[in-house]
Amino acid sequence: MSKLKIAIQKSGRLNQDSLQILKDCGISIDNGKDQLKASASNFPLEIFYLRNGDIPQYLKDGVVDIAIIGENVLIEKGEGIAIIEKLGFSKCSVSLAIPNTDKYTGLDYFQNKKIATSYPNTVTNFLKSKNINSQIHIINGSVEIAPNIGLADGICDIVSSGSTLFKNNLKEVEVLLKSEAVLAVSPKISGTLQAILDELQFRIQSVLKGRNSRYVLLNAPNDKLEKIISILPGMRSPTVLPLAEKGWSSVHSVLHKNQFWEVINELKKNGAEGILVCPIEKMVM
């Protein structure tokens, strides 16, 4: 049977998060230490561990069929590669930063200035769209040091917590784009692998829906049941079961995690008691 070839980052946080989502999809990987290639024991999947910056070319050439990769890397190097699923982890931004001591008055700050970056295409396209002319210095490595050694006036790099900028006396001044891990597909993928890809994507979607949702159980007085049900934004409609205590019911529903506190407080105000909130491992729609 043909195997779907997937590339993931060789090391780092994206590597760990990628392996975790595959594990949550029920895929067991026979992975020895320092292996560059491994196979799943219970799913037709072969895993390639690659440098993040090399993955777009492997996708373009059809060496791998799919990849879990940062959206920022695809924007920089992955023209023509389709994204079929945003995965919700490894979120960051690609941003311009300058020394803390400099006063920032807007993008005109960068007019005729030197910018150090590992994302020359992204920076050039962004500045061109804003009619800003800058000199781009390509650096593969610790971009943050460039202003401190006089190599550049500012930098463009990925920003997550901002701690690296802080340590290097820099401040974020412009966000070029927001990024997260995505599932990307080679333009050369074989049609015979589509069924395997569909099954993998279905599993990933079920895991992501579970991660983004919470299962809620609560007790409600019957005379307030209609109002409580109207507050719950659940799936189709909540499950309502009578309790042993007369005049009370148990209500079961699902909430999006971002709606959680707002909805819970509203439920309490309207008489809900004994509210229990549980994580959801997977949710199949």
Side-chain angles (χ1 to χ4, degrees):
M1 183 180 181
S2 298
K3 289 187 176 183
L4 189 68
K5 298 187 288 292
I6 183 172
I8 67 171
Q9 190 180 44
K10 185 178 178 181
S11 59
R13 183 180 172 186
L14 189 54
N15 166 274
Q16 296 168 11
D17 289 340
S18 300
L19 290 173
Q20 185 61 52
I21 198 167
L22 293 177
K23 181 180 178 181
D24 291 345
C25 287
I27 297 172
S28 299
I29 300 169
D30 299 325
N31 186 30
K33 187 177 180 182
D34 298 326
Q35 276 187 292
L36 297 180
K37 189 170 76 170
S39 293
S41 60
N42 60 348
F43 193 84
L45 190 70
E46 196 168 26
I47 299 91
F48 289 69
Y49 299 97
L50 305 172
R51 288 180 62 250
N52 210 33
D54 294 338
I55 291 176
Q57 194 60 51
Y58 278 76
L59 285 166
K60 289 179 182 179
D61 293 342
V63 176
V64 295
D65 304 306
I66 59 173
I68 296 176
I69 186 172
E71 190 176 4
N72 57 301
V73 180
L74 282 187
I75 291 170
E76 177 66 24
K77 297 182 175 183
E79 186 178 357
I81 297 172
I83 293 171
I84 61 169
E85 199 74 48
K86 294 198 173 187
L87 302 176
F89 55 82
S90 296
K91 292 186 176 182
C92 66
S93 61
V94 177
S95 301
L96 290 164
I98 63 173
N100 281 330
T101 53
D102 285 12
K103 183 179 179 182
Y104 186 69
T105 55
L107 274 173
D108 285 343
Y109 171 93
F110 292 101
Q111 192 72 259
N112 300 317
K113 295 282 181 70
K114 299 175 183 177
I115 301 174
T117 186
S118 302
Y119 298 90
N121 295 328
T122 302
V123 180
T124 300
N125 292 336
F126 175 80
L127 294 178
K128 186 178 179 180
S129 71
K130 305 294 184 180
N131 296 315
I132 302 294
N133 294 311
S134 301
Q135 299 176 43
I136 306 299
H137 286 261
I138 302 174
I139 297 179
N140 294 313
S142 301
V143 175
E144 296 83 3
I145 198 172
N148 294 328
I149 61 176
L151 182 63
D153 301 294
I155 69 165
C156 182
D157 202 14
I158 57 171
V159 177
S160 296
S161 65
S163 61
T164 304
L165 293 182
F166 179 78
K167 291 174 185 176
N168 286 276
N169 299 312
L170 299 172
K171 58 185 177 184
E172 183 181 31
V173 293
E174 294 284 345
V175 176
L176 278 61
L177 59 92
K178 296 284 188 180
S179 174
E180 63 184 88
V182 297
L183 184 65
V185 182
S186 168
K188 295 186 177 181
I189 186 171
S190 166
T192 60
L193 296 172
Q194 190 60 50
I196 302 172
L197 177 56
D198 289 346
E199 173 62 23
L200 177 62
Q201 189 176 6
F202 167 74
R203 293 191 187 191
I204 288 174
Q205 289 171 345
S206 299
V207 169
L208 294 178
K209 286 170 185 170
R211 288 181 180 181
N212 290 325
S213 303
R214 299 292 181 266
Y215 189 71
V216 179
L217 302 87
L218 58 88
N219 297 330
N222 288 344
D223 59 347
K224 296 182 179 180
L225 198 54
E226 188 174 340
K227 176 61 178 176
I228 287 173
I229 289 173
S230 71
I231 295 168
L232 290 166
M235 299 166 72
R236 288 190 178 175
S237 64
T239 300
V240 179
L241 301 171
L243 291 179
E245 184 177 347
K246 189 175 180 180
W248 284 79
S249 294
S250 174
V251 181
H252 300 225
S253 190
V254 174
L255 297 178
H256 192 280
K257 66 178 183 180
N258 294 337
Q259 299 172 308
F260 171 71
W261 287 113
E262 179 183 343
V263 172
I264 292 299
N265 287 331
E266 193 67 18
L267 290 170
K268 286 176 63 180
K269 289 177 186 176
N270 284 276
E273 297 181 5
I275 301 172
L276 180 64
V277 181
C278 306
I280 299 174
E281 186 175 305
K282 298 170 185 70
M283 193 163 75
V284 179
M285 303 294 286

